[in-house]
Amino acid sequence: MTNVLWRTWADTYRARPRTTATPNGAAEAAGAVRAAARQGLPVRMVGSGHSFTDTAVTDGMMLLPTSLTRLRSVDLAAGTAEVEAGAPLCDLNDALHRSGAALANMGDIAVQTMAGAIQTGTHGTGRDAGGLASQVVGMELVTAEGEVVTCSAESDPELFHAARVGLGAFGVVTAFTMAVGPSFLLHAREEPMRLDEVLERLPELRADNEHFEFFWFPHTGLTNTKRNNRVQGPARPLTPFKSWLDDEFLSNSVFDGVNRLARRAPAAIPAINQLSARALSARDYTDASHRVFASPRRVRFVEMEYAVPAEELPAVLRELRAVTDRGDHRISFPVEVRFAPADDVWLSTAYGRPTAYVAVHVYKGAPYERFFADAEAVFTSVEGRPHWGKMHTRDRSYLERVYPRFADAMAVRDRVDPERRFANAYTGRVFGP
C-alpha cells in the first residue's frame, strides 16, 4: 500500500510514506523491518495520531498497528497482563474489567494506542501510582536487524529502562506486559476552588488524595478541582442523562461552540472564562476506575505540557498567570495541572523527581506559537521536561541536561540501532542524528 496520507489528530503534522505495512503479529513486523532495510527505508510505527509532535512522521515505511490489538493474557495471580501494541487504551480497559483487572493509573484520554501512549510518556495524576510506562514490566519489540526480542528489569535491563519511553527509536514495540491489579472503584469529587486556595492547600490536597488534579481558567483566579480515591462501594455512577449532559453536551458540544466564538472574538475570552468557571458546580460519583480516569474529549486543540519539579509548581503557575494577565494572549482553554511520583524510567518526564505537570492548550485553528513560546520560557526556567508527544522546541542540547540517564539511553540506542533504521526528523532533534 502506498500514497497514504496520514495526519495527527490536531492536524499539526502530516506524512505521506513511501510504503505502509499492517503486521499481524511480531513475526510480520520483523519481516516488514527487514524489507525496509533491503530498500534502505526508515521505519516508524504510528498510533491514533494523538501526539502533537512529528514523532511518528516518516517518508519511508509506516507500520499501521490495526492488527496488533489482542489482549494476549491476564494473570491476576501474577498481577500481569500482556497486550499488543496497537490496542487502544479504552479497549484494553474494557477487556481488563471483564477479567476483573485494572491498571493502577491512566490519563484522561483513552483512545490512544498502547504503544503510542507509553512510548511518549503518557500519564495521569497520582500520589503513589505513576504514568503508564512505570506500569510496564516487560516488552516485546523488533530490532533494527528484524529480530523479535523481549526485555524486562531482569532480561536486558538497559534496553528495558531506555525503551519504555523510547519514541519508537529503540525498536518497533509489538507488545507490553503490564502490571495490573484487581478491578476497583473510584469515588470522584469535583468542585470549584479559587486558585490561591488550591496553591495554599496544595500539600494537603496532594497528600490526602490518591489522584488530585485541577484546571485553572486563564484570565481568572478560578479552578475546577478533581479528587479520585478508591472506595469499597457501592458503585454510584452518573445517571445516563447527567453523564451525557456534563461530559458530552457541556464539555464537548457547548465547549466547542464557546471556543469557536472565542476564536472569532478573542477580546471576549476573559469574560467567557469567568462565565465558564462560575457555571461549574460540584459533583461526585463512584464508578469503575477506568470510567473515572478517562472522559470523552472531542474538541480539537493544540497542546504543550511540561513536567516541572513539584516544589516549583506554585511559582510556575504564578508566573504563567502573570504571562496571561499582561494581556498579550487570550487563552480560552483551561490549564491542566496533574502530579506524579518519581519513577525509574530513564526517559520518563518523572524520572528521579516528584513531578507536577502543567499543560497549556489552544483551540485548533487559533494561533498558539507566541503563547507557547512564553509558556515554554517559564517551564524551562525551572528545568522542566517537555512531554515527548506535545508541542515544544527543545533539542538534545537541552534534554541531555535535564535527564540524568540521557547519555545511558543514547548508548543503548547506538547499540540496538546504529544505522538509525527507526529515526526521523523528530528523533534527530531530540536524540541527535
Side-chain angles (χ1 to χ4, degrees), residues 8 48 171 184:
T8 59
S48 62
F184 59 97

Side-chain angles (χ1 to χ4, degrees), residues 355-431:
T355 293
Y357 292 100
V358 184
V360 295
H361 315 71
V362 171
Y363 186 58
K364 181 185 174 185
Y368 62 85
E369 292 85 355
R370 289 178 55 250
F371 174 56
F372 281 9
D374 287 349
E376 191 170 38
V378 175
F379 301 144
T380 56
S381 70
V382 294
E383 296 192 333
R385 299 167 180 164
H387 189 300
W388 297 104
K390 299 178 184 180
M391 304 297 283
H392 69 92
T393 65
R394 301 300 90 185
D395 59 16
R396 175 169 177 157
S397 65
Y398 175 86
L399 296 167
E400 63 187 0
R401 295 202 311 270
V402 297
Y403 281 95
R405 303 303 296 269
F406 191 93
D408 296 321
M410 295 306 102
V412 174
R413 187 186 183 211
D414 288 341
R415 168 168 67 89
V416 299
D417 188 17
E419 296 183 0
R420 303 297 189 254
R421 179 66 51 206
F422 303 122
N424 68 355
Y426 183 71
T427 63
R429 174 160 66 90
V430 297
F431 289 165

